[in-house]
Amino acid sequence: MAENELKVLEGMDTVLLARKHSDQATMSGQIIPWQTSLSFDPSVDSDTTVTKDGAVPTRSDPSTDLETEFLNNTSAIADAMYDSLFDGELLDVWVLYRKRKNAQGKYFAWYMQVTVQEDSSDNDPDDHSTRDVTFTVNGKPKRGWTALDEETQSQVDYVFLGVGVVTDDDKTGGGTAWDKTKDSGTNVPDATTTTTTTTAAPKA
């Protein structure tokens, strides 16, 4: 694929990461597990004042609506949402696009500082418990490119693992990821060689 080829960004590949702002010196952003939807909606209000010289447009400062739904779970970051709601705990959050990277391999993301405004939970007896969390965004979202540490990278885009034991010295369990430029098939002929098949003449 060409480096500058136009790509469609899929909703499946847009994820929300979060952490407590107070943990920024000790913890990376964590993906909220089992997200089912994510809404990121920056907007401005505009108005027009009619004067004798014509209409004069005005616009408000930008505001941002941010909301996510996920299957309720026992992760620490899911519990941090309650801390933010009840205790006013400030959160760092990122809307990260897994399929948009720059030449340095960093991911495109929107960064915001937020608190939880509402955390609604549905608990039907015949389905998973779900949560719908709405955030209050402080100020303007900031866009940029972020690198990921190995742990977060494994959450965002897990790598191929072999069947062996995964250790600190061998993080892939003896596995090697498929390389589509080299591993396109077991019987692909070598382009540098030519095979000639000779058919013997029939006996008289």
Side-chain angles (χ1 to χ4, degrees):
M1 179 177 290
E3 191 171 308
N4 63 345
E5 182 177 343
L6 186 64
K7 300 177 184 178
V8 175
L9 300 177
E10 303 288 347
M12 178 66 72
D13 295 313
T14 307
V15 294
L16 189 69
L17 291 84
R19 73 170 170 217
K20 290 185 177 182
H21 186 71
S22 59
D23 288 341
Q24 63 179 246
T26 58
M27 181 177 293
S28 300
Q30 305 294 304
I31 289 184
I32 300 171
W34 296 306
Q35 294 172 46
T36 56
S37 72
L38 172 59
S39 176
F40 172 61
D41 185 13
S43 64
V44 295
D45 293 328
S46 60
D47 200 356
T48 302
T49 302
V50 178
T51 73
K52 294 179 182 180
D53 297 317
V56 177
T58 59
R59 54 181 265 151
S60 67
D61 290 334
S63 62
T64 303
D65 294 329
L66 180 65
E67 182 177 359
T68 187
E69 296 182 31
F70 58 92
L71 300 184
N72 203 0
N73 60 80
T74 58
S75 69
I77 195 58
D79 287 342
M81 303 297 156
Y82 290 130
D83 296 335
S84 181
L85 177 66
F86 291 112
D87 303 328
E89 184 89 41
L90 186 65
L91 304 176
D92 295 325
V93 299
W94 297 261
V95 176
L96 184 141
Y97 296 79
R98 293 191 284 198
K99 293 298 177 66
R100 185 176 183 185
K101 295 183 183 180
N102 64 10
Q104 289 73 45
K106 294 184 177 182
Y107 294 86
F108 176 77
W110 289 94
Y111 165 71
M112 290 157 278
Q113 294 182 2
V114 307
T115 53
V116 173
Q117 175 183 332
E118 182 179 359
D119 190 333
S120 175
S121 178
D122 288 332
N123 300 282
D124 296 332
D126 58 347
D127 204 351
H128 298 295
S129 174
T130 61
R131 287 169 62 182
D132 184 348
V133 180
T134 304
F135 301 92
T136 297
V137 178
N138 297 343
K140 298 178 183 179
K142 304 298 189 291
R143 57 182 163 174
W145 304 90
T146 181
L148 300 178
D149 58 29
E150 288 187 9
E151 179 183 354
T152 310
Q153 177 72 44
S154 67
Q155 296 174 344
V156 170
D157 185 19
Y158 58 82
V159 298
F160 177 83
L161 293 181
V163 299
V165 176
V166 177
T167 66
D168 288 338
D169 294 329
D170 183 5
K171 295 184 180 297
T172 65
T176 301
W178 179 273
D179 185 340
K180 63 183 179 181
T181 64
K182 300 176 181 178
D183 302 328
S184 55
T186 57
N187 295 309
V188 176
D190 187 340
T192 62
T193 61
T194 303
T195 302
T196 303
T197 302
T198 302
T199 302
K203 293 181 179 180

